[in-house]
Short mmCIF file of all heavy atoms in Angstrom, two decimals:
data_model
loop_
_atom_site.label_atom_id
_atom_site.label_comp_id
_atom_site.label_asym_id
_atom_site.label_seq_id
_atom_site.Cartn_x
_atom_site.Cartn_y
_atom_site.Cartn_z
N PHE A 5 18.98 -5.26 -23.20
CA PHE A 5 17.85 -5.00 -22.34
C PHE A 5 17.56 -6.09 -21.33
O PHE A 5 17.77 -7.26 -21.60
CB PHE A 5 16.56 -4.81 -23.21
CG PHE A 5 15.29 -4.63 -22.48
CD1 PHE A 5 14.94 -3.43 -22.03
CD2 PHE A 5 14.46 -5.73 -22.20
CE1 PHE A 5 13.79 -3.20 -21.30
CE2 PHE A 5 13.29 -5.58 -21.50
CZ PHE A 5 12.93 -4.30 -21.05
N VAL A 6 17.24 -5.70 -20.14
CA VAL A 6 16.88 -6.62 -19.00
C VAL A 6 15.52 -6.41 -18.56
O VAL A 6 14.67 -7.37 -18.64
CB VAL A 6 17.83 -6.46 -17.85
CG1 VAL A 6 17.47 -7.43 -16.68
CG2 VAL A 6 19.32 -6.77 -18.26
N ALA A 7 15.10 -5.25 -18.14
CA ALA A 7 13.77 -4.99 -17.61
C ALA A 7 13.49 -3.52 -17.65
O ALA A 7 14.43 -2.70 -17.67
CB ALA A 7 13.68 -5.53 -16.17
N ALA A 8 12.13 -3.16 -17.67
CA ALA A 8 11.80 -1.72 -17.67
C ALA A 8 10.40 -1.59 -17.18
O ALA A 8 9.60 -2.51 -17.14
CB ALA A 8 11.94 -1.16 -19.15
N PHE A 9 10.10 -0.39 -16.88
CA PHE A 9 8.66 0.04 -16.58
C PHE A 9 8.41 1.41 -17.06
O PHE A 9 9.34 2.24 -17.13
CB PHE A 9 8.28 -0.14 -15.12
CG PHE A 9 9.07 0.74 -14.20
CD1 PHE A 9 8.80 2.08 -14.09
CD2 PHE A 9 10.07 0.19 -13.41
CE1 PHE A 9 9.56 2.91 -13.20
CE2 PHE A 9 10.81 1.02 -12.54
CZ PHE A 9 10.52 2.38 -12.42
N THR A 10 7.18 1.69 -17.42
CA THR A 10 6.76 3.09 -17.69
C THR A 10 6.21 3.65 -16.36
O THR A 10 5.72 2.92 -15.48
CB THR A 10 5.71 3.15 -18.83
OG1 THR A 10 4.51 2.48 -18.36
CG2 THR A 10 6.24 2.58 -20.05
N TRP A 11 6.29 5.00 -16.27
CA TRP A 11 5.89 5.61 -15.06
C TRP A 11 4.39 5.50 -14.72
O TRP A 11 3.98 5.41 -13.56
CB TRP A 11 6.32 7.06 -14.98
CG TRP A 11 6.73 7.51 -13.63
CD1 TRP A 11 6.09 8.37 -12.77
CD2 TRP A 11 7.94 7.06 -12.96
NE1 TRP A 11 6.84 8.45 -11.61
CE2 TRP A 11 7.92 7.69 -11.73
CE3 TRP A 11 9.04 6.23 -13.26
CZ2 TRP A 11 9.01 7.52 -10.78
CZ3 TRP A 11 10.00 6.07 -12.35
CH2 TRP A 11 10.01 6.72 -11.14
N SER A 12 3.64 5.39 -15.76
CA SER A 12 2.15 5.31 -15.63
C SER A 12 1.62 3.87 -15.82
O SER A 12 0.41 3.61 -15.84
CB SER A 12 1.46 6.32 -16.46
OG SER A 12 1.78 6.07 -17.86
N GLY A 13 2.54 2.96 -16.25
CA GLY A 13 2.11 1.66 -16.65
C GLY A 13 1.72 0.75 -15.44
O GLY A 13 1.88 1.06 -14.30
N SER A 14 1.12 -0.44 -15.76
CA SER A 14 0.70 -1.33 -14.74
C SER A 14 1.46 -2.58 -14.68
O SER A 14 1.18 -3.45 -13.81
CB SER A 14 -0.83 -1.64 -14.95
OG SER A 14 -0.98 -2.27 -16.28
N ARG A 15 2.46 -2.75 -15.45
CA ARG A 15 3.28 -3.94 -15.49
C ARG A 15 4.72 -3.66 -15.91
O ARG A 15 5.02 -2.66 -16.45
CB ARG A 15 2.66 -5.02 -16.39
CG ARG A 15 2.55 -4.48 -17.89
CD ARG A 15 2.31 -5.74 -18.82
NE ARG A 15 3.49 -6.54 -18.85
CZ ARG A 15 3.62 -7.60 -19.62
NH1 ARG A 15 2.60 -7.99 -20.44
NH2 ARG A 15 4.75 -8.32 -19.63
N GLY A 16 5.57 -4.61 -15.59
CA GLY A 16 6.94 -4.51 -16.08
C GLY A 16 7.11 -5.26 -17.35
O GLY A 16 6.30 -6.05 -17.82
N TYR A 17 8.28 -4.90 -17.99
CA TYR A 17 8.65 -5.56 -19.23
C TYR A 17 9.98 -6.28 -19.00
O TYR A 17 10.88 -5.66 -18.41
CB TYR A 17 8.76 -4.54 -20.33
CG TYR A 17 7.44 -3.83 -20.60
CD1 TYR A 17 7.05 -2.74 -19.78
CD2 TYR A 17 6.57 -4.24 -21.57
CE1 TYR A 17 5.84 -2.06 -19.98
CE2 TYR A 17 5.37 -3.59 -21.73
CZ TYR A 17 5.03 -2.49 -20.94
OH TYR A 17 3.80 -1.88 -21.17
N TYR A 18 10.18 -7.43 -19.54
CA TYR A 18 11.35 -8.27 -19.26
C TYR A 18 11.90 -9.00 -20.52
O TYR A 18 11.16 -9.36 -21.40
CB TYR A 18 10.99 -9.34 -18.22
CG TYR A 18 10.49 -8.82 -16.93
CD1 TYR A 18 9.17 -8.65 -16.69
CD2 TYR A 18 11.36 -8.37 -15.91
CE1 TYR A 18 8.62 -8.15 -15.51
CE2 TYR A 18 10.91 -7.85 -14.72
CZ TYR A 18 9.50 -7.74 -14.52
OH TYR A 18 9.04 -7.21 -13.31
N ALA A 19 13.19 -9.06 -20.51
CA ALA A 19 13.82 -9.95 -21.44
C ALA A 19 13.49 -11.38 -21.19
O ALA A 19 13.35 -11.78 -20.09
CB ALA A 19 15.34 -9.70 -21.49
N ASP A 20 13.37 -12.18 -22.27
CA ASP A 20 13.02 -13.56 -22.17
C ASP A 20 13.96 -14.31 -21.26
O ASP A 20 13.57 -15.22 -20.51
CB ASP A 20 12.91 -14.25 -23.48
CG ASP A 20 11.72 -13.78 -24.30
OD1 ASP A 20 10.76 -13.23 -23.73
OD2 ASP A 20 11.72 -14.01 -25.56
N SER A 21 15.21 -13.89 -21.27
CA SER A 21 16.30 -14.63 -20.53
C SER A 21 16.16 -14.50 -19.03
O SER A 21 16.82 -15.28 -18.35
CB SER A 21 17.69 -14.13 -21.01
OG SER A 21 17.82 -12.79 -20.79
N VAL A 22 15.43 -13.48 -18.62
CA VAL A 22 15.37 -13.23 -17.17
C VAL A 22 13.97 -13.16 -16.58
O VAL A 22 13.73 -12.96 -15.39
CB VAL A 22 16.08 -11.89 -16.77
CG1 VAL A 22 17.53 -11.95 -17.23
CG2 VAL A 22 15.33 -10.68 -17.42
N LYS A 23 12.96 -13.28 -17.42
CA LYS A 23 11.54 -12.96 -17.04
C LYS A 23 11.05 -13.75 -15.79
O LYS A 23 10.16 -13.28 -15.09
CB LYS A 23 10.62 -13.09 -18.25
CG LYS A 23 10.52 -14.52 -18.76
CD LYS A 23 9.49 -14.56 -19.95
CE LYS A 23 9.36 -16.00 -20.43
NZ LYS A 23 8.42 -16.04 -21.60
N ASP A 24 11.54 -14.92 -15.65
CA ASP A 24 11.06 -15.72 -14.55
C ASP A 24 11.90 -15.61 -13.27
O ASP A 24 11.61 -16.16 -12.21
CB ASP A 24 11.03 -17.26 -14.96
CG ASP A 24 10.01 -17.51 -16.00
OD1 ASP A 24 8.96 -16.86 -16.03
OD2 ASP A 24 10.30 -18.38 -16.89
N ARG A 25 13.00 -14.82 -13.35
CA ARG A 25 13.90 -14.63 -12.28
C ARG A 25 14.06 -13.23 -11.75
O ARG A 25 14.70 -13.00 -10.75
CB ARG A 25 15.26 -15.23 -12.61
CG ARG A 25 15.19 -16.68 -13.06
CD ARG A 25 16.56 -17.19 -13.45
NE ARG A 25 17.09 -16.61 -14.63
CZ ARG A 25 18.17 -15.81 -14.70
NH1 ARG A 25 18.91 -15.63 -13.57
NH2 ARG A 25 18.60 -15.28 -15.83
N VAL A 26 13.55 -12.28 -12.49
CA VAL A 26 13.77 -10.88 -12.24
C VAL A 26 12.52 -10.15 -12.13
O VAL A 26 11.53 -10.38 -12.82
CB VAL A 26 14.66 -10.28 -13.32
CG1 VAL A 26 14.69 -8.73 -13.25
CG2 VAL A 26 16.09 -10.78 -13.31
N THR A 27 12.45 -9.18 -11.14
CA THR A 27 11.33 -8.29 -11.00
C THR A 27 11.81 -6.87 -10.91
O THR A 27 12.71 -6.52 -10.11
CB THR A 27 10.57 -8.64 -9.76
OG1 THR A 27 10.08 -10.02 -9.82
CG2 THR A 27 9.29 -7.74 -9.61
N ILE A 28 11.19 -5.97 -11.73
CA ILE A 28 11.49 -4.59 -11.65
C ILE A 28 10.46 -3.90 -10.78
O ILE A 28 9.25 -4.16 -11.01
CB ILE A 28 11.70 -3.92 -13.01
CG1 ILE A 28 12.20 -2.46 -12.86
CG2 ILE A 28 10.40 -3.98 -13.81
CD1 ILE A 28 12.66 -1.86 -14.15
N VAL A 29 10.84 -3.02 -9.88
CA VAL A 29 9.97 -2.42 -8.95
C VAL A 29 10.16 -0.89 -8.99
O VAL A 29 11.30 -0.46 -9.04
CB VAL A 29 10.16 -2.88 -7.46
CG1 VAL A 29 9.17 -2.24 -6.56
CG2 VAL A 29 9.99 -4.41 -7.44
N ARG A 30 9.10 -0.14 -8.97
CA ARG A 30 9.20 1.28 -9.06
C ARG A 30 8.73 1.91 -7.76
O ARG A 30 7.77 1.38 -7.11
CB ARG A 30 8.41 1.83 -10.19
CG ARG A 30 6.90 1.63 -10.18
CD ARG A 30 6.15 2.11 -11.41
NE ARG A 30 4.74 1.87 -11.35
CZ ARG A 30 3.94 1.90 -12.35
NH1 ARG A 30 4.41 2.30 -13.55
NH2 ARG A 30 2.64 1.69 -12.20
N ASP A 31 9.31 3.00 -7.47
CA ASP A 31 8.88 3.83 -6.30
C ASP A 31 8.69 5.25 -6.85
O ASP A 31 9.62 6.02 -6.98
CB ASP A 31 9.89 3.81 -5.19
CG ASP A 31 9.43 4.51 -3.91
OD1 ASP A 31 8.55 5.41 -4.03
OD2 ASP A 31 9.87 4.13 -2.85
N ASN A 32 7.47 5.56 -7.23
CA ASN A 32 7.16 6.85 -7.92
C ASN A 32 7.50 8.02 -6.98
O ASN A 32 8.04 8.99 -7.45
CB ASN A 32 5.68 6.86 -8.29
CG ASN A 32 5.35 5.90 -9.38
OD1 ASN A 32 6.11 5.10 -9.82
ND2 ASN A 32 4.09 6.08 -9.93
N ALA A 33 7.17 7.88 -5.69
CA ALA A 33 7.41 9.01 -4.83
C ALA A 33 8.87 9.36 -4.66
O ALA A 33 9.22 10.54 -4.42
CB ALA A 33 6.77 8.75 -3.47
N LYS A 34 9.72 8.35 -4.75
CA LYS A 34 11.13 8.61 -4.51
C LYS A 34 12.00 8.56 -5.79
O LYS A 34 13.21 8.71 -5.72
CB LYS A 34 11.70 7.53 -3.52
CG LYS A 34 11.08 7.62 -2.16
CD LYS A 34 11.64 6.55 -1.26
CE LYS A 34 10.97 6.63 0.10
NZ LYS A 34 11.52 5.59 1.06
N ASN A 35 11.36 8.44 -6.97
CA ASN A 35 12.05 8.41 -8.22
C ASN A 35 13.18 7.33 -8.21
O ASN A 35 14.31 7.57 -8.50
CB ASN A 35 12.59 9.75 -8.58
CG ASN A 35 11.59 10.76 -8.93
OD1 ASN A 35 10.48 10.40 -9.41
ND2 ASN A 35 11.91 12.02 -8.83
N ARG A 36 12.75 6.19 -7.84
CA ARG A 36 13.68 5.05 -7.77
C ARG A 36 13.21 3.86 -8.52
O ARG A 36 11.94 3.63 -8.65
CB ARG A 36 13.92 4.67 -6.25
CG ARG A 36 14.75 5.67 -5.53
CD ARG A 36 14.88 5.14 -4.10
NE ARG A 36 15.74 6.10 -3.33
CZ ARG A 36 17.07 6.01 -3.20
NH1 ARG A 36 17.76 5.04 -3.75
NH2 ARG A 36 17.68 6.92 -2.48
N ALA A 37 14.09 3.04 -8.98
CA ALA A 37 13.84 1.78 -9.58
C ALA A 37 14.70 0.72 -8.99
O ALA A 37 15.85 0.89 -8.77
CB ALA A 37 14.03 1.83 -11.17
N TYR A 38 14.07 -0.47 -8.72
CA TYR A 38 14.83 -1.55 -8.14
C TYR A 38 14.75 -2.74 -9.10
O TYR A 38 13.77 -2.93 -9.78
CB TYR A 38 14.21 -1.91 -6.83
CG TYR A 38 14.18 -0.84 -5.80
CD1 TYR A 38 13.06 0.05 -5.76
CD2 TYR A 38 15.27 -0.57 -4.97
CE1 TYR A 38 13.03 1.07 -4.84
CE2 TYR A 38 15.26 0.52 -4.08
CZ TYR A 38 14.15 1.28 -3.99
OH TYR A 38 14.15 2.31 -3.09
N LEU A 39 15.77 -3.53 -9.07
CA LEU A 39 15.79 -4.78 -9.83
C LEU A 39 16.13 -5.93 -8.82
O LEU A 39 17.22 -6.00 -8.37
CB LEU A 39 16.86 -4.69 -10.92
CG LEU A 39 16.81 -5.88 -11.94
CD1 LEU A 39 15.56 -5.78 -12.80
CD2 LEU A 39 18.07 -5.90 -12.80
N GLN A 40 15.06 -6.73 -8.56
CA GLN A 40 15.23 -7.90 -7.74
C GLN A 40 15.67 -9.07 -8.62
O GLN A 40 14.85 -9.43 -9.48
CB GLN A 40 13.97 -8.19 -6.96
CG GLN A 40 14.04 -9.38 -6.04
CD GLN A 40 15.08 -9.18 -4.93
OE1 GLN A 40 15.04 -8.21 -4.22
NE2 GLN A 40 15.92 -10.23 -4.71
N MET A 41 16.74 -9.63 -8.37
CA MET A 41 17.22 -10.76 -9.15
C MET A 41 17.41 -11.98 -8.33
O MET A 41 18.15 -11.93 -7.30
CB MET A 41 18.59 -10.38 -9.90
CG MET A 41 18.46 -9.18 -10.76
SD MET A 41 20.02 -8.93 -11.71
CE MET A 41 21.16 -8.53 -10.44
N ASN A 42 16.80 -13.06 -8.73
CA ASN A 42 16.80 -14.31 -7.99
C ASN A 42 17.35 -15.40 -8.92
O ASN A 42 17.39 -15.28 -10.10
CB ASN A 42 15.47 -14.70 -7.44
CG ASN A 42 14.81 -13.62 -6.59
OD1 ASN A 42 15.52 -13.09 -5.71
ND2 ASN A 42 13.53 -13.40 -6.79
N SER A 43 17.75 -16.49 -8.27
CA SER A 43 18.26 -17.73 -9.01
C SER A 43 19.20 -17.26 -10.03
O SER A 43 19.19 -17.65 -11.24
CB SER A 43 17.03 -18.41 -9.71
OG SER A 43 16.09 -18.84 -8.75
N LEU A 44 20.21 -16.48 -9.67
CA LEU A 44 21.23 -15.93 -10.55
C LEU A 44 22.08 -17.03 -11.09
O LEU A 44 22.38 -18.02 -10.47
CB LEU A 44 22.07 -14.91 -9.83
CG LEU A 44 21.34 -13.55 -9.64
CD1 LEU A 44 22.10 -12.74 -8.58
CD2 LEU A 44 21.25 -12.77 -10.90
N LYS A 45 22.52 -16.81 -12.37
CA LYS A 45 23.33 -17.77 -13.10
C LYS A 45 24.68 -17.06 -13.46
O LYS A 45 24.73 -15.81 -13.61
CB LYS A 45 22.63 -18.22 -14.34
CG LYS A 45 21.30 -18.79 -14.09
CD LYS A 45 20.63 -19.18 -15.40
CE LYS A 45 19.23 -19.77 -15.24
NZ LYS A 45 18.56 -20.08 -16.54
N PRO A 46 25.73 -17.85 -13.71
CA PRO A 46 26.95 -17.17 -14.18
C PRO A 46 26.82 -16.35 -15.45
O PRO A 46 27.48 -15.38 -15.66
CB PRO A 46 27.90 -18.37 -14.45
CG PRO A 46 27.40 -19.43 -13.52
CD PRO A 46 25.92 -19.24 -13.47
N GLU A 47 25.81 -16.72 -16.29
CA GLU A 47 25.52 -15.97 -17.49
C GLU A 47 25.00 -14.58 -17.16
O GLU A 47 24.98 -13.76 -18.13
CB GLU A 47 24.52 -16.73 -18.40
CG GLU A 47 24.98 -18.12 -18.80
CD GLU A 47 24.49 -19.16 -17.77
OE1 GLU A 47 25.19 -19.41 -16.79
OE2 GLU A 47 23.39 -19.70 -18.03
N ASP A 48 24.57 -14.31 -16.01
CA ASP A 48 24.06 -13.03 -15.64
C ASP A 48 25.16 -12.03 -15.29
O ASP A 48 24.87 -10.86 -15.06
CB ASP A 48 23.12 -13.11 -14.45
CG ASP A 48 21.89 -13.92 -14.71
OD1 ASP A 48 21.27 -13.75 -15.79
OD2 ASP A 48 21.50 -14.71 -13.92
N THR A 49 26.38 -12.55 -15.23
CA THR A 49 27.52 -11.68 -14.90
C THR A 49 27.69 -10.53 -15.95
O THR A 49 27.82 -10.83 -17.10
CB THR A 49 28.80 -12.45 -14.90
OG1 THR A 49 28.74 -13.42 -13.78
CG2 THR A 49 29.99 -11.57 -14.61
N ALA A 50 27.68 -9.31 -15.47
CA ALA A 50 27.72 -8.18 -16.39
C ALA A 50 27.77 -6.87 -15.55
O ALA A 50 27.57 -6.92 -14.30
CB ALA A 50 26.53 -8.17 -17.35
N VAL A 51 28.02 -5.77 -16.20
CA VAL A 51 27.80 -4.51 -15.58
C VAL A 51 26.34 -4.13 -15.89
O VAL A 51 25.89 -4.12 -17.05
CB VAL A 51 28.75 -3.43 -16.16
CG1 VAL A 51 28.39 -2.04 -15.50
CG2 VAL A 51 30.20 -3.81 -15.82
N TYR A 52 25.60 -3.77 -14.82
CA TYR A 52 24.22 -3.38 -14.99
C TYR A 52 24.06 -1.95 -14.93
O TYR A 52 24.50 -1.32 -13.99
CB TYR A 52 23.41 -4.12 -13.86
CG TYR A 52 23.14 -5.57 -14.11
CD1 TYR A 52 24.21 -6.49 -14.04
CD2 TYR A 52 21.90 -6.13 -14.50
CE1 TYR A 52 24.00 -7.84 -14.33
CE2 TYR A 52 21.69 -7.42 -14.73
CZ TYR A 52 22.75 -8.29 -14.67
OH TYR A 52 22.58 -9.60 -14.92
#
């Protein structure tokens, strides 16, 4: 797990390993989810 949101929720949920570096953003009107990742580390290398 990395991050998530519920469609009606007011906040995102994050894994401890990324919580200070990652933000999940929702666009309800367009049915889209974005993951903004900053301060990336080699340990973040993966298929997302």
Side-chain angles (χ1 to χ4, degrees):
F5 175 84
V6 178
F9 62 76
T10 62
W11 216 250
S12 61
S14 60
R15 58 164 292 182
Y17 301 83
Y18 301 94
D20 289 340
S21 60
V22 303
K23 64 179 181 180
D24 295 324
R25 303 181 293 116
V26 168
T27 302
I28 187 167
V29 181
R30 66 185 177 191
D31 187 332
N32 290 9
K34 298 181 179 180
N35 289 334
R36 288 180 180 269
Y38 304 91
L39 189 71
Q40 179 66 47
M41 302 188 293
N42 302 316
S43 301
L44 285 164
K45 305 175 181 179
E47 304 91 270
D48 296 316
T49 296
V51 177
Y52 283 70

